[in-house]
Amino acid sequence: MRGQDPWTSKDPLGEALHFLRMTGAFYARSELSEPWGFAMPEMEDCLWFHVVTSGRCRLEVSGAPARYLVPGEFALVPHGLGHTLSSDEESGHTVPIVYDLPHDYVSDRYAIIRHGGGGSATTLVCGAVRLDHPSAVQLIRSLPPLIVVESAPAPHLSWMHSTLGLVADEAKYLRPGGEAVITRLSDILVIQALRSWIETDPAAKLGWLGALADPAVGPALALIHRNPDTPWTVASLAAEVAMSRSAFSARFTAMVGESPMRYLARWRMRSAQDTLRSGDMTVAELAKRSGYRSEAAFARAFKRVLGVSPGSVRTRADTAASA
């Protein structure tokens, strides 16, 4: 095998977590009194999280059983699905969208929400973070509709529970710089919740996540992720992991759900999409780097895989940067 980054070959799953580059879309501290309820809207390529710092709330997400959250628990809605938060089942039947409630904006991305009927109090910290890197998007697609890290003490979660305490403290007093502290702690909590689920849930041993942990397919995936523009073939990837071409192809397809070359093509275009969003390259420069003979050929392949043109992705990125 050629010389590899040892970290890449030994921990492909850790590398996928390394690429969880999160951009805060919205954070809020909600001061609520029973009866209360509101709905979080669907947000594409985002995940929602919720931390109860006092009181309790009922969380209902399509595809998962409704449940109550209490202080010390961390809830993650990974797929950006719309969902409902309320004081009880009856209050969650007909609720306003959170954006329709009065907001006291501390900054353009952090607000304080006060809502309810004057009864028992509950305080929440909620947030939506956007994930752009293709590795992050692939990881999120492998997750269930709801992940909850419970408050029951466990040695591997003690650090996370301490972090939840820091979030609660910052949300209560909102000292200077508190918004930045909550934002950064929230990013850490999201990654920690994902790690906890991956380590404890049998579903994490299946599909793409299970493939990352496989001693042969995992290193091959890491090579594709790190070096998508390398002219990989099934034979060259098989050689890297010391397998025959046919055995490697069969094992990769069975675990990942698609052939190595199809996965590589899709990953290349997602990586290209991420680069275009960042504004670091023009479409022509990216086509050349990706090994295409012409910009038109690259554009056709891009649209075939992702359903949109590279020019439209770059235009939206430029518009967002100008805004």
Side-chain angles (χ1 to χ4, degrees), residues 42-116:
E42 182 176 352
M43 294 182 67
E44 187 179 1
D45 294 333
C46 282
L47 56 82
W48 284 102
F49 69 85
H50 304 289
V51 179
V52 177
T53 59
S54 66
R56 71 170 194 166
C57 81
R58 186 174 188 270
L59 171 61
E60 190 167 357
V61 182
S62 177
R67 61 168 297 157
Y68 282 91
L69 303 175
V70 298
E73 294 184 331
F74 183 84
L76 201 59
V77 183
H79 304 151
L81 297 173
H83 53 285
T84 300
L85 297 160
S86 60
S87 54
D88 52 53
E89 184 174 1
E90 184 176 350
S91 301
H93 286 163
T94 304
V95 294
I97 295 292
V98 66
Y99 295 142
D100 293 336
L101 300 177
H103 286 54
D104 180 10
Y105 280 94
V106 178
S107 72
D108 61 343
R109 291 191 306 177
Y110 190 94
I112 298 174
I113 300 171
R114 297 178 177 91
H115 173 59

Side-chain angles (χ1 to χ4, degrees), residues 293-304:
R293 294 181 179 179
S294 68
E295 183 178 338
F298 170 76
R300 286 194 297 271
F302 190 98
K303 189 167 186 177
R304 184 174 62 251

